[in-house]
Amino acid sequence: MLTLRKRTYDILEIKFQRKRGLSFIVNIALSVLIFLNTVAIILNTVPSIGNQFRRFFLDFELFSVSIFSIEYILRVWSSVEKAEYRHPFWGRIKFIFSPWGIIDFLAIFPFYFSFFRTDLGFVKILRLLRIFRLFRVSRYFHALRVIQNVLRDKKEELLLSVSFIIFLLLISSSLAFYIEQEAQPEAFSSIPASLWWGVNAMTTVGYGDMHPITPLGKVLGGLMAILGVSIFALPTGILASGFAEQIRGKRRSNEKVHCPICEHDFYLAESHKHK
Amino acid sequence: MLTLRKRTYDILEIKFQRKRGLSFIVNIALSVLIFLNTVAIILNTVPSIGNQFRRFFLDFELFSVSIFSIEYILRVWSSVEKAEYRHPFWGRIKFIFSPWGIIDFLAIFPFYFSFFRTDLGFVKILRLLRIFRLFRVSRYFHALRVIQNVLRDKKEELLLSVSFIIFLLLISSSLAFYIEQEAQPEAFSSIPASLWWGVNAMTTVGYGDMHPITPLGKVLGGLMAILGVSIFALPTGILASGFAEQIRGKRRSNEKVHCPICEHDFYLAESHKHK
Amino acid sequence: MLTLRKRTYDILEIKFQRKRGLSFIVNIALSVLIFLNTVAIILNTVPSIGNQFRRFFLDFELFSVSIFSIEYILRVWSSVEKAEYRHPFWGRIKFIFSPWGIIDFLAIFPFYFSFFRTDLGFVKILRLLRIFRLFRVSRYFHALRVIQNVLRDKKEELLLSVSFIIFLLLISSSLAFYIEQEAQPEAFSSIPASLWWGVNAMTTVGYGDMHPITPLGKVLGGLMAILGVSIFALPTGILASGFAEQIRGKRRSNEKVHCPICEHDFYLAESHKHK
Amino acid sequence: MLTLRKRTYDILEIKFQRKRGLSFIVNIALSVLIFLNTVAIILNTVPSIGNQFRRFFLDFELFSVSIFSIEYILRVWSSVEKAEYRHPFWGRIKFIFSPWGIIDFLAIFPFYFSFFRTDLGFVKILRLLRIFRLFRVSRYFHALRVIQNVLRDKKEELLLSVSFIIFLLLISSSLAFYIEQEAQPEAFSSIPASLWWGVNAMTTVGYGDMHPITPLGKVLGGLMAILGVSIFALPTGILASGFAEQIRGKRRSNEKVHCPICEHDFYLAESHKHK
């Protein structure tokens, strides 16, 4: 026996299920609306398009925000159906301040806020965050879980690699500042200015707006480029081993057998399992 | 007993076989012609060469398209020899609309079409697609199959990585637009214009035609470069584990043994197999 | 029974322990001071900030160097508590000339040196080396050890990859010099000048201040870019296998079982261990 | 009983041995001479240095080429000591045309050739090829063998990846030519000219001397950058799995045990081997 609230919750909640019922249609429709909103926000900034279809974009914004507002209210109302947010009042508050609740709120808030202040083009960008919801559609897919597991397992090593990169960046940008300062006082005016060069040298972006011109600065720049490329090999290596580990872990679980003689478990040959 | 149609099919079909018969010669000749065509199309666009050898390039094009047309007709005619396209009429239609049938058609179609309309340099490029046929020569080689298997096995993870990249690209390019718009209204004129900067910053191409100049924009640009390099480590890691998996899978198949006591299968030592 | 020296040593020494005592507080305070010093040195180079807060930065430097000096003296005094530096005189000398001892000395030395000579902005950078100490806080964490092990295990292969890169760099930069010299005598003025282009082409930085303009030079530049990207795949591959090896090594240790029949050890199924 | 020829051969041949005898000294001396030659060739191209030390560089060149010539003659003379080149005449011819023989010849030939023609700065670069000999010193080291094995094992996959890259490069550069030709007739003047942009876009070098300016061209350029970075992940993944395979292969060889019951071989636990 499903109450209206339970039914609302079931429809709005994204589930990966075979039966393509109302919940499936509603979620696809919301995803399409999010996608169209993204396209509208992007195209609206192109002067030639934005001016010509001004009326249309305003109407579409009104429509989208109305739908998103209704969805947000229903989601807050029905959130108590989830065990996590069971409490009638505090559960809903908890949902509102959960990451998904905040993203959903940020998507509608700038619209209502714009009644008070006129120019708020910037906050429209918050609606783009809803694209992140599109990933939720596949939340239950195998792939996302694998990537999440790898990132979680390797969090420490990845953070350490990033720390190495930042450390190297600070040292070499400071060095570059002292080396190049005299030859290019305008470009390398301070360490923060030098950091802009440093990050683009180490990640090999190399815009060309800043580059060392002194021999010593060029030696430093060359070493930095080689070191940069090599250090960015660290996260790649870490992720590669992380993915390999995931696969091996998955493969071996439930594939062990008990030896009646030595009383220990062994790995089973893979093909056996599928027989 | 081979009919003419069956024999035509056997000659045109690419097979990896020891016996270097007529089929081998025909396929090598066609591959060489495809290669020369590619070279001719490329050189033809160089004004100094294109003008001087205009006559030669036209003759060569006429010759190539004639050969490709004969090959195409023979291929359609003999395609019914393949179990997949057995039906005399629908089988051939199916072949014509198969990827290889379309590529073969696109290679000859622009030539005939140019009798009606004069300037069609652009569609000549379609003939370049035939280079793809050169890969077929090695279709049965081990290497291509390994790469195909890896890409198929990891399709989901790879698509998800690409989605992450696009998502990050959209968010950061939109942010860059709102941050840089005021300082450089011409360069960062709209989000689509900003996306051009974004994609070149994240893939570390960095042409230098557009780059942030405000402090906040530079912080964003730096973060984006680091994030970009790191996120592109994801597909590398996925592919690395995919290749490792392929090798392991290949290695272990048929190498299991049955234990007469515990009634289970185990992996065999590798060197044992080659004894 | 702890002497004052032993207690000083225990407080200054970084240990990863549950009990958050005085040692924890002192080390956190020193880390914060190192971090603030880094920020101060960076901001001090920004003219607008550096001039306005000149007094504040001078006071902060005096304060930091005082603390670092006290720490350095206490560290030298108490270093003999460590087995490695046991000898009252030579142990301390050994500590002073150990890498950590030198880094700590370089952080305070420029300040005292500046009493004799006035302008020494450059040597201030030596204080930045103390950031390296921040890594020590996590010296006992698993992640740093894994990365260290991988780098140590793969030292030979990584050095060889770097040698390949340098070799390719020398050959192709010299070639580029002889090819481009005539067309751009100013840009490609010598092989060292050409190396600056070479290293930025091979690491794909590509500032755009130098690039080949002759057809032959462009062919070389193109080949070099492809080879460069491919060769930098070597260290990534080496690191990836290194990390995978670490994990496998860790996983299997202590997981072997003895077979009472064949008298040999086998790997245990992973899940068994956690039972 | 060692003949003079055998002794000469033993001294010149690079061997990895504990005993640091005459052979070791001679090889180190030759390596140092090769290294100094490289430095001299590079510095000689710097006008300010080249002119000032002209006399010194000429003398050093004379000296180096003399030593290299003596070494070359001795090497040809003693080459017959190696089983491979046993035949008194054809063995030596075979050695002269072996890769190492050719490199050694190319290092001295330009000097003698310059007596007939004056300006031959370009061929001096051939002497740089001798740097490659420095790798031989470590020929017997484990690391070089591992890298060689990986490259040999993965040759097919790596070649196929390079083919994919070239195919993508041709198609997208041709497309870019037809798209950008009208807007930038000078930059994108022909497909070969467009290829220069293509290779620098795909390898993410991005000098900035050429880049698409039409909206369609920018979409193509963006896709190409993303595809380029992703495709270059293939060789990295292949190499990573190759290195992992090498390690596993090495680890498992000779580590199998025979089971007296099922009469099969199994892998031994690693730690057992080292007991």
Side-chain angles (χ1 to χ4, degrees):
Chain A
M1 204 176 82
L2 288 161
T3 64
L4 185 62
R5 202 176 65 188
K6 172 74 178 142
R7 187 141 170 73
T8 309
Y9 174 78
D10 283 348
I11 286 166
L12 290 173
E13 185 64 10
I14 298 153
K15 272 176 204 138
F16 183 65
Q17 49 194 16
R18 285 288 146 80
K19 221 175 102 251
R20 304 199 158 195
L22 188 59
S23 173
F24 183 82
I25 292 159
V26 167
N27 273 296
I28 290 291
L30 281 172
S31 296
V32 169
L33 194 63
I34 290 169
F35 177 75
L36 290 177
N37 245 275
T38 308
V39 172
I41 291 168
I42 289 172
L43 289 181
N44 198 14
T45 63
V46 183
S48 60
I49 300 171
N51 291 334
Q52 214 187 328
F53 300 97
R54 174 181 288 266
R55 184 81 227 154
F56 172 78
F57 281 122
L58 280 174
D59 287 352
F60 182 68
E61 195 184 342
L62 189 67
F63 172 73
S64 310
V65 172
S66 309
I67 299 285
F68 289 162
S69 301
I70 294 166
E71 186 208 347
Y72 180 68
I73 290 162
L74 288 176
R75 218 177 262 281
V76 171
W77 174 58
S78 67
S79 64
V80 290
E81 291 291 337
K82 201 173 180 182
E84 206 183 332
Y85 307 122
R86 211 166 17 190
H87 191 282
F89 178 74
W90 293 112
R92 282 182 178 121
I93 294 291
K94 206 175 152 193
F95 172 79
I96 286 166
F97 289 100
S98 70
W100 292 114
I102 290 168
I103 286 174
D104 287 356
F105 178 72
L106 289 178
I108 51 169
F109 148 81
F111 180 80
Y112 296 109
F113 195 72
S114 66
F115 287 124
F116 306 99
R117 274 194 56 186
T118 18
D119 191 26
L120 265 170
F122 182 78
V123 289
K124 252 189 213 165
I125 214 182
L126 292 169
R127 226 178 312 148
L128 283 182
L129 289 174
R130 286 218 99 192
I131 319 169
F132 205 75
R133 270 202 93 230
L134 297 182
F135 287 115
R136 277 183 93 192
V137 177
S138 54
R139 192 163 47 162
Y140 299 100
F141 280 133
H142 172 62
L144 188 56
R145 212 176 249 169
V146 167
I147 292 176
Q148 280 176 332
N149 285 348
V150 168
L151 292 177
R152 201 198 48 223
D153 284 7
K154 300 288 167 189
K155 203 175 56 192
E156 276 180 20
E157 276 99 336
L158 291 173
L159 281 175
L160 206 66
S161 308
V162 170
S163 306
F164 281 147
I165 289 163
I166 291 169
F167 173 69
L168 192 75
L169 196 58
L170 280 176
I171 296 289
S172 50
S173 296
S174 304
L175 270 172
F177 165 66
Y178 285 109
I179 293 170
E180 294 290 316
Q181 193 182 14
E182 222 159 294
Q184 316 183 69
E186 265 176 63
F188 288 81
S189 61
S190 64
I191 293 181
S194 184
L195 272 168
W196 172 242
W197 164 76
V199 76
N200 288 322
M202 235 173 74
T203 56
T204 79
V205 173
Y207 290 117
D209 56 338
M210 268 172 91
H211 52 77
I213 53 167
T214 63
L216 200 62
K218 286 185 173 183
V219 168
L220 177 76
L223 281 176
M224 207 177 158
I226 291 177
L227 259 173
V229 176
S230 308
I231 283 195
F232 277 107
L234 267 181
T236 310
I238 292 164
L239 288 174
S241 79
F243 280 106
E245 214 181 341
Q246 280 295 316
I247 290 153
R248 216 172 306 123
K250 195 185 69 185
R251 221 186 228 190
R252 291 207 169 145
S253 57
N254 308 325
E255 292 183 25
K256 55 181 164 47
V257 288
H258 192 76
C259 174
I261 295 168
C262 59
E263 299 263 313
H264 280 297
D265 290 342
F266 289 93
Y267 293 129
L268 248 174
E270 204 178 344
S271 50
H272 182 88
K273 195 186 150 198
H274 301 292
K275 253 186 229 162
Chain B
M1 200 176 85
L2 287 161
T3 64
L4 185 62
R5 203 175 64 190
K6 173 70 180 143
R7 188 142 169 70
T8 307
Y9 174 79
D10 283 348
I11 286 167
L12 290 172
E13 185 63 11
I14 296 154
K15 273 174 204 139
F16 183 64
Q17 49 194 13
R18 287 285 147 80
K19 222 174 103 252
R20 306 201 157 192
L22 189 59
S23 173
F24 184 82
I25 293 159
V26 167
N27 273 295
I28 289 292
L30 281 171
S31 296
V32 169
L33 195 62
I34 290 169
F35 177 75
L36 290 176
N37 245 275
T38 308
V39 172
I41 291 167
I42 289 171
L43 290 181
N44 198 13
T45 62
V46 184
S48 60
I49 299 171
N51 292 334
Q52 214 187 330
F53 300 98
R54 174 181 287 268
R55 186 77 228 156
F56 172 78
F57 281 122
L58 280 174
D59 288 352
F60 182 68
E61 194 184 345
L62 189 68
F63 171 73
S64 310
V65 172
S66 308
I67 299 286
F68 289 161
S69 300
I70 293 166
E71 187 209 346
Y72 180 69
I73 291 163
L74 288 176
R75 218 175 262 280
V76 172
W77 173 59
S78 68
S79 64
V80 290
E81 291 290 340
K82 202 174 179 181
E84 205 183 334
Y85 306 123
R86 211 164 19 188
H87 191 281
F89 178 74
W90 292 113
R92 281 181 178 123
I93 294 291
K94 208 176 151 191
F95 172 79
I96 286 165
F97 289 99
S98 71
W100 291 113
I102 289 168
I103 285 175
D104 288 356
F105 178 72
L106 289 177
I108 52 169
F109 149 83
F111 180 80
Y112 298 108
F113 195 72
S114 68
F115 288 125
F116 307 99
R117 275 195 56 186
T118 21
D119 191 27
L120 266 169
F122 183 77
V123 289
K124 251 189 212 164
I125 213 182
L126 292 168
R127 225 179 310 148
L128 282 182
L129 289 174
R130 287 217 96 191
I131 320 170
F132 204 74
R133 271 202 94 228
L134 297 181
F135 287 115
R136 277 182 92 192
V137 178
S138 55
R139 192 162 46 162
Y140 299 101
F141 280 132
H142 171 62
L144 188 56
R145 211 175 251 167
V146 167
I147 291 177
Q148 280 177 332
N149 285 350
V150 168
L151 292 177
R152 201 197 50 222
D153 284 7
K154 299 289 167 189
K155 203 175 55 194
E156 276 181 21
E157 276 98 337
L158 291 172
L159 281 175
L160 205 67
S161 308
V162 171
S163 306
F164 281 146
I165 289 163
I166 291 169
F167 172 69
L168 192 75
L169 196 58
L170 281 176
I171 295 290
S172 50
S173 296
S174 304
L175 270 172
F177 165 66
Y178 286 108
I179 292 170
E180 293 291 316
Q181 194 183 13
E182 223 159 292
Q184 317 183 68
E186 266 176 63
F188 289 81
S189 62
S190 65
I191 293 180
S194 184
L195 272 168
W196 171 243
W197 165 76
V199 76
N200 288 323
M202 235 173 73
T203 58
T204 77
V205 173
Y207 290 117
D209 56 338
M210 268 172 93
H211 53 77
I213 53 167
T214 63
L216 200 59
K218 287 185 172 183
V219 169
L220 178 75
L223 280 177
M224 207 175 158
I226 291 175
L227 258 173
V229 176
S230 308
I231 283 195
F232 276 109
L234 266 181
T236 310
I238 292 164
L239 287 173
S241 78
F243 280 106
E245 213 180 343
Q246 280 296 316
I247 290 154
R248 217 171 307 124
K250 195 185 68 185
R251 223 187 227 190
R252 291 205 170 148
S253 58
N254 307 326
E255 293 183 25
K256 55 182 163 46
V257 287
H258 192 77
C259 173
I261 294 169
C262 58
E263 299 264 313
H264 280 297
D265 291 341
F266 288 94
Y267 293 130
L268 248 176
E270 205 178 345
S271 50
H272 183 88
K273 196 186 151 200
H274 300 292
K275 253 185 226 161
Chain C
M1 201 179 84
L2 288 160
T3 64
L4 185 63
R5 202 175 65 188
K6 172 74 180 140
R7 186 139 170 75
T8 308
Y9 173 79
D10 283 347
I11 286 166
L12 290 173
E13 185 63 12
I14 297 152
K15 271 176 208 138
F16 183 64
Q17 48 194 18
R18 287 285 146 80
K19 221 175 101 253
R20 304 199 158 195
L22 189 59
S23 173
F24 183 81
I25 293 159
V26 167
N27 274 295
I28 290 291
L30 281 172
S31 297
V32 170
L33 194 61
I34 291 168
F35 177 75
L36 290 176
N37 245 275
T38 308
V39 172
I41 291 167
I42 289 171
L43 290 180
N44 197 15
T45 64
V46 183
S48 60
I49 299 171
N51 292 332
Q52 213 187 329
F53 300 97
R54 174 180 287 266
R55 184 80 227 155
F56 173 78
F57 280 122
L58 280 174
D59 287 351
F60 183 67
E61 194 183 343
L62 188 68
F63 171 73
S64 310
V65 172
S66 309
I67 299 287
F68 290 161
S69 301
I70 293 165
E71 186 208 348
Y72 180 69
I73 291 163
L74 288 177
R75 218 176 262 283
V76 172
W77 173 59
S78 67
S79 63
V80 290
E81 292 290 338
K82 202 173 180 184
E84 205 183 335
Y85 307 122
R86 207 165 19 188
H87 190 283
F89 178 73
W90 293 112
R92 281 182 176 122
I93 293 292
K94 208 174 150 192
F95 172 79
I96 286 167
F97 289 100
S98 72
W100 291 114
I102 290 168
I103 286 175
D104 286 357
F105 178 71
L106 289 178
I108 52 169
F109 149 81
F111 180 81
Y112 296 109
F113 195 72
S114 67
F115 287 125
F116 306 99
R117 275 195 55 186
T118 20
D119 192 25
L120 265 169
F122 182 78
V123 289
K124 252 188 212 165
I125 212 180
L126 292 168
R127 227 179 311 149
L128 282 182
L129 290 173
R130 287 217 98 190
I131 318 169
F132 205 74
R133 270 202 95 229
L134 297 183
F135 287 116
R136 277 181 93 190
V137 177
S138 55
R139 192 161 50 161
Y140 299 99
F141 280 132
H142 172 63
L144 187 57
R145 212 177 247 169
V146 167
I147 292 177
Q148 279 177 332
N149 285 350
V150 168
L151 292 178
R152 201 197 50 222
D153 284 5
K154 300 289 168 188
K155 203 175 56 192
E156 277 181 20
E157 277 98 336
L158 291 172
L159 280 176
L160 207 66
S161 308
V162 170
S163 305
F164 281 146
I165 289 163
I166 291 169
F167 173 68
L168 192 76
L169 196 58
L170 280 176
I171 296 290
S172 50
S173 296
S174 303
L175 269 172
F177 166 65
Y178 286 108
I179 293 170
E180 293 290 318
Q181 192 183 16
E182 223 160 290
Q184 316 183 69
E186 263 176 65
F188 288 81
S189 61
S190 64
I191 294 181
S194 184
L195 272 168
W196 172 242
W197 165 76
V199 76
N200 288 323
M202 235 173 74
T203 56
T204 78
V205 173
Y207 290 117
D209 56 338
M210 268 173 91
H211 52 78
I213 54 167
T214 64
L216 201 61
K218 285 185 173 183
V219 168
L220 178 76
L223 281 176
M224 207 176 159
I226 291 177
L227 259 172
V229 176
S230 307
I231 283 195
F232 277 107
L234 267 181
T236 310
I238 291 165
L239 288 174
S241 78
F243 281 105
E245 215 180 341
Q246 280 296 315
I247 291 153
R248 217 173 303 123
K250 194 185 68 184
R251 222 186 228 193
R252 290 204 170 149
S253 57
N254 309 325
E255 291 183 26
K256 56 181 163 48
V257 288
H258 191 77
C259 174
I261 295 167
C262 59
E263 299 261 313
H264 280 297
D265 290 342
F266 289 93
Y267 293 129
L268 248 176
E270 204 176 341
S271 49
H272 182 88
K273 192 185 153 199
H274 301 290
K275 255 186 229 162
Chain D
M1 198 175 88
L2 287 161
T3 64
L4 185 63
R5 203 175 65 189
K6 174 69 180 144
R7 186 140 171 71
T8 308
Y9 174 78
D10 282 350
I11 286 166
L12 290 173
E13 186 64 9
I14 298 152
K15 271 176 208 138
F16 183 64
Q17 48 193 16
R18 286 285 148 82
K19 220 175 105 251
R20 305 200 157 194
L22 189 58
S23 174
F24 183 81
I25 292 159
V26 167
N27 273 295
I28 289 292
L30 282 172
S31 296
V32 168
L33 195 61
I34 291 168
F35 177 75
L36 290 176
N37 245 274
T38 308
V39 172
I41 291 167
I42 289 172
L43 290 181
N44 198 13
T45 63
V46 183
S48 60
I49 299 170
N51 292 333
Q52 214 187 329
F53 300 97
R54 175 182 286 267
R55 184 78 226 157
F56 173 77
F57 280 120
L58 281 174
D59 287 351
F60 183 67
E61 195 183 343
L62 189 69
F63 171 71
S64 311
V65 172
S66 308
I67 299 287
F68 290 161
S69 301
I70 293 165
E71 186 207 349
Y72 180 68
I73 291 163
L74 289 176
R75 218 176 263 280
V76 172
W77 173 59
S78 67
S79 65
V80 290
E81 291 291 338
K82 201 173 181 184
E84 205 184 333
Y85 307 123
R86 210 165 19 190
H87 191 283
F89 179 73
W90 293 112
R92 281 178 178 126
I93 294 292
K94 207 175 149 191
F95 172 79
I96 286 166
F97 289 99
S98 71
W100 290 115
I102 290 168
I103 286 175
D104 287 356
F105 179 71
L106 289 177
I108 53 168
F109 149 83
F111 180 80
Y112 297 108
F113 196 72
S114 67
F115 287 125
F116 307 99
R117 275 194 56 185
T118 20
D119 191 26
L120 265 170
F122 182 77
V123 288
K124 251 188 211 167
I125 212 181
L126 292 168
R127 225 178 313 148
L128 282 182
L129 290 174
R130 288 217 97 189
I131 320 169
F132 204 74
R133 270 201 94 231
L134 297 182
F135 288 115
R136 277 182 92 191
V137 177
S138 56
R139 193 162 48 163
Y140 299 99
F141 281 131
H142 172 61
L144 187 56
R145 211 176 248 166
V146 167
I147 291 177
Q148 279 177 334
N149 285 350
V150 168
L151 292 177
R152 200 196 52 222
D153 284 6
K154 299 289 168 190
K155 202 174 58 192
E156 278 181 21
E157 277 97 337
L158 291 173
L159 281 175
L160 206 67
S161 308
V162 170
S163 305
F164 281 145
I165 289 163
I166 291 169
F167 174 70
L168 192 77
L169 196 58
L170 280 176
I171 296 290
S172 50
S173 295
S174 304
L175 269 172
F177 164 64
Y178 286 108
I179 292 169
E180 293 290 318
Q181 193 184 14
E182 223 159 290
Q184 319 184 67
E186 264 176 63
F188 289 81
S189 61
S190 64
I191 293 181
S194 184
L195 272 168
W196 171 242
W197 165 75
V199 76
N200 288 323
M202 236 173 74
T203 57
T204 76
V205 173
Y207 290 118
D209 57 338
M210 270 173 91
H211 52 79
I213 53 168
T214 64
L216 201 60
K218 286 185 172 181
V219 169
L220 177 76
L223 281 176
M224 205 175 161
I226 291 176
L227 259 173
V229 176
S230 307
I231 283 194
F232 276 108
L234 266 182
T236 310
I238 291 165
L239 287 174
S241 79
F243 280 105
E245 214 181 341
Q246 279 297 315
I247 291 154
R248 216 171 305 123
K250 194 185 68 185
R251 222 186 229 193
R252 290 203 171 152
S253 59
N254 308 325
E255 293 184 24
K256 55 180 163 47
V257 288
H258 192 76
C259 174
I261 296 168
C262 59
E263 299 263 312
H264 281 298
D265 291 342
F266 288 94
Y267 294 128
L268 247 176
E270 205 178 343
S271 50
H272 182 88
K273 194 185 149 201
H274 300 292
K275 256 184 222 162

